[in-house]
Amino acid sequence: MKRKITVGFLMLSFFAFSQQNTIDQKVNALLKKMTIEEKIGQLNQYTGDNQATGPITINPNKEAEIKQGLIGSMLNVLGTKYTRQYQELAMQSRLKIPLLFAQDVIHGYKTSFPIPLAEAASWDLAAMELSARVAATQAAASGIHWTFAPMVDIGRDPRWGRVMEGAGEDTYLGSRIAAARVKGIQGKLGDVNSVLACVKHFAAYGAAIGGRDYNSVDMSERMLWETYLPPFKSALDAGAATFMNSFNDLNGIPATGNKYLQRDILKGKWNFQGFVVSDWGSIGEMVAHGYVKDNKEAALSAITAGSDMDMESNAYRYNLAQLVKENKVSITLIDDAVRRILRKKFELGLFEDPYKYCNTEREQRELNNPEHRKIAREVAAKSIVLLKNENDLLPIAKSTKKIAFIGPMVKEHKANMGFWAVDLPEVDYNKEIVSQWEGLKNKVGKNAELLYAKGCEIDDNNKEGFAEAVATAMKADVVILSIGERWDMSGEAKSRSNIHLPGVQEELVKAIQATGKPVVVLINAGRPLVFNWTADSVPAILYTWWLGSEAGNAIADVLFGDYNPSAKLPMTFPRDEGQIPIYYNHFNTGRPAPNDTATHYVSAYIDLKNSPKFPFGFGLSYTQFEYSNLKLSQTKMKKNETIELAFQLKNTGKVAGEEVVQLYLRDKVGSVVRPVIELKDFQKIKLNPGETKTIRFSINKEKLSFYGKDLNWIAEPGDFDLMIGSSSTDIRLKTIFELIE
Ligand code: BGC
């Protein structure tokens, strides 16, 4: 048996090797036929006719240039009809090199899934892989070859609007999610349902100073390697085909022209064989950065640094040939970039059939696949975080007779998709997206009377609707209030200095709470918001983020207990903007504050607590879990050994539920200071009422390693606190072990 497996494995490896070999031969043969203009054409990407996703600064004659072989890829061309039209033009070019169609498929294509930050809250890797798979299947059916996802930037600053696109603040969780998403997107490359993933934004974009988008990043080498780079490495190890660089400068060098990042780390140390695309216009933007004097110098800097494809700068198109002529750029550099891109086109099978992704029937079938909506509903329910539930107000009893549903989000359709949703021109989103009102109606049917009032808008000062909202609430047995951010308040270029609930919404909450009716608040948002009064005063809160096509149904599933919430926050929620950046895995100071009230000569604010409003890893359930009986296989471990640990998890409540058990470590003494607590593993466990399971984890050297002062991963001998928690601040079991030489 073993021999058979070994032989099978060898044959498979040989097959993959020889396939790659054949592709390389084909790429080289093609390269020999290409003029320098055609080569540079492959490095050139333009936006198409759909909504532009950046500032338009160039206006090329795309049709003519495609026919001349001067364009290698396009973004923002949606649907088989349009991708086919452009591909037909490419087939009129001399060498008939197919175009590569890219799109930001960030959280679903036609079927919209929760925003990535929301999905991250599910801590459910299989669910995230599946949602990425569905998105890729639909995109591929619609003519797309390549998605600009996953975004794996660590986000520790909720003022930064792009935290909605990522997996939150934690490097370990973010790395696991990055790998799951890449696998989901790419499936099996070459298969017609698969698209290329593009890991972005390389690198450190999430650390923009002040949370202001596109801003500079200044960080130590240690922090770069330990906190910001691992999710990229994890995505690469999962097979990511392409990378996108980022807008920010890192320690003074724009990422796009950053040789250290792209050539030394990514293509050097990590041996990345795919290609790097610039971000939108980021090559040209190096002029504004003050790093180069014009587009020509920008092209020189970017190609030298390892950016293979130019998105929307026109810097390569008009300057590279001249730079080669002047001997400033060697043709081997260009050939390397072209090879990387052509290889992907071959791997996708586009040379065999450039219209492989252009089957209209398949497009219709996949875009309307009911199974996809079912998955979207499940993933959406899994993404909802229960932040508060006093006196078990939730789930709402199905026998409730009168429910008031109040707030500016209640009857919205498209707004539930949030930022970075694919906006297909032919789709009627009032039908496509289940509003929260419809979801509730679907759930209660004729069993309950539903009352509605809008109350106010999301973001203005008008309180005229309050009276009607209060009167409506007075008539009901329970009030559900749906408030939050408008869809375009978190996303690219949506940084906010004030992340409190916008407009007069919190005043609406006060007015409704004053009625004395039981109030459930739903908060729709793309980032952690500040809502202290609401958090302290209303009995029940669900953080619903932006949930996509099935938002209404998923919310109703959770409200009525058909799904027991299991999500946990992937980002810390601050009490106030003044605490930002705030993240759970911080270092201690020499004068740590012993509690939230001490301020005298300790590291604290005199006007604000240190603790967050809601911590990383936090989220409630309709049931309770008891942790007990932690046992370690050994309390001393050598570097080549593994500690096995086990404990009991029991569902002590009345309903079935899932718990995300979180394993944290603290390296007590390090040659560089270590975080007070760090996530190192987790599992999501489902238990029936009364059921107990033994949960096991192993701890190896890798989990104990950090990026040391010699700029290498090391595990240092000494004591480690081991903590098992239901959140980063709710530690249920704790012990200590020692790493020995
Ligand atoms: C964003 C990228 C995106 C690209 C193309 C840029 O503005 O930063 O994340 O993929 O536009 O739409």
Side-chain angles (χ1 to χ4, degrees), residues 630-632 634 643-647 662-668 677 697-699 704 719-725 731-737:
L630 173 62
K631 285 199 179 115
L632 303 192
Q634 60 205 78
I643 292 184
E644 306 296 338
L645 71 91
F647 64 91
Q662 301 160 40
L663 185 153
Y664 293 96
L665 291 180
R666 178 177 184 178
D667 187 345
K668 306 266 279 194
I677 182 165
F697 286 103
S698 347
I699 295 174
L704 309 183
D719 286 344
F720 287 78
D721 282 336
L722 187 161
M723 294 156 278
I724 305 287
I731 300 303
R732 304 290 185 86
L733 301 169
K734 193 170 172 182
T735 187
I736 193 166
F737 68 89

Side-chain angles (χ1 to χ4, degrees), residues 220-231:
S220 71
E221 191 73 356
R222 274 205 59 255
M223 187 183 280
L224 176 69
W225 279 92
E226 187 167 306
T227 306
Y228 286 83
L229 290 185

Side-chain angles (χ1 to χ4, degrees), residues 363-515:
E363 181 177 34
Q364 281 314 310
R365 196 174 58 242
E366 292 299 357
L367 297 197
N368 299 299
N369 184 338
E371 185 59 24
H372 293 171
R373 293 201 67 112
K374 212 176 129 238
I375 297 168
R377 180 172 179 164
E378 284 165 12
V379 177
K382 286 178 183 206
S383 304
I384 299 173
V385 190
L386 178 63
L387 290 181
K388 194 174 177 189
N389 194 19
E390 266 175 16
N391 304 323
D392 292 338
L393 175 57
L394 289 173
I396 298 172
K398 287 193 172 146
S399 56
T400 309
K401 284 291 161 242
K402 267 194 188 171
I403 303 170
F405 204 1
I406 295 173
M409 277 299 288
V410 174
K411 294 211 169 174
E412 289 293 327
H413 290 267
K414 215 169 165 177
N416 289 291
M417 296 199 292
F419 206 87
W420 280 124
V422 177
D423 198 344
L424 293 166
E426 68 277 12
V427 173
D428 176 357
Y429 286 96
N430 289 332
K431 294 204 179 113
E432 171 64 21
I433 309 292
V434 182
S435 72
Q436 299 177 15
W437 177 254
E438 288 163 350
L440 202 66
K441 262 187 12 193
N442 294 341
K443 182 63 73 185
V444 300
K446 294 205 166 65
N447 297 335
E449 188 182 341
L450 293 187
L451 311 169
Y452 167 73
K454 188 168 190 181
C456 63
E457 298 295 335
I458 284 183
D459 193 21
D460 70 17
N461 293 323
N462 192 339
K463 297 189 207 167
E464 277 166 16
F466 277 29
E468 188 202 356
V470 168
T472 307
M474 290 297 286
K475 289 186 217 149
D477 303 318
V478 60
V479 185
I480 308 166
L481 249 172
S482 186
I483 54 177
E485 281 189 313
R486 216 181 33 238
W487 72 272
D488 60 353
M489 288 178 138
S490 283
E492 181 176 350
K494 304 297 176 199
S495 294
R496 288 174 61 203
S497 65
N498 173 351
I499 59 165
H500 282 62
L501 268 173
V504 290
Q505 294 181 102
E506 196 147 54
E507 288 177 62
L508 178 66
V509 180
K510 287 182 190 169
I512 301 295
Q513 173 74 1
T515 63

Side-chain angles (χ1 to χ4, degrees), residues 10-22:
L10 282 177
M11 277 171 66
L12 264 179
S13 315
F14 178 73
F15 179 70
F17 173 76
S18 65
Q19 198 189 20
Q20 195 54 52
N21 227 0
T22 338

Side-chain angles (χ1 to χ4, degrees), residues 45 47 51-55 75-76 102-106 147-149 151 153 162 165 198 200-201 205 213-214 244-247 277-281 285 311-312 420 492-493:
Q45 185 187 53
T47 192
Q51 205 181 0
T53 42
L75 72 152
N76 298 328
Q103 184 65 32
D104 291 284
V105 184
I106 308 293
T147 170
F148 293 143
M151 187 273 224
D153 298 311
R162 299 197 79 167
E165 280 176 65
C198 182
K200 67 190 190 185
H201 306 84
Y205 182 39
D213 209 359
Y214 316 126
M244 183 186 291
N245 58 35
S246 57
F247 289 123
V277 62
S278 81
D279 204 345
W280 178 296
E285 285 174 18
M311 183 198 301
E312 279 290 303
W420 280 124
E492 181 176 350

Side-chain angles (χ1 to χ4, degrees), residues 47-60:
T47 192
D49 312 320
N50 226 275
Q51 205 181 0
T53 42
I56 297 274
T57 54
I58 54 176
N59 187 19

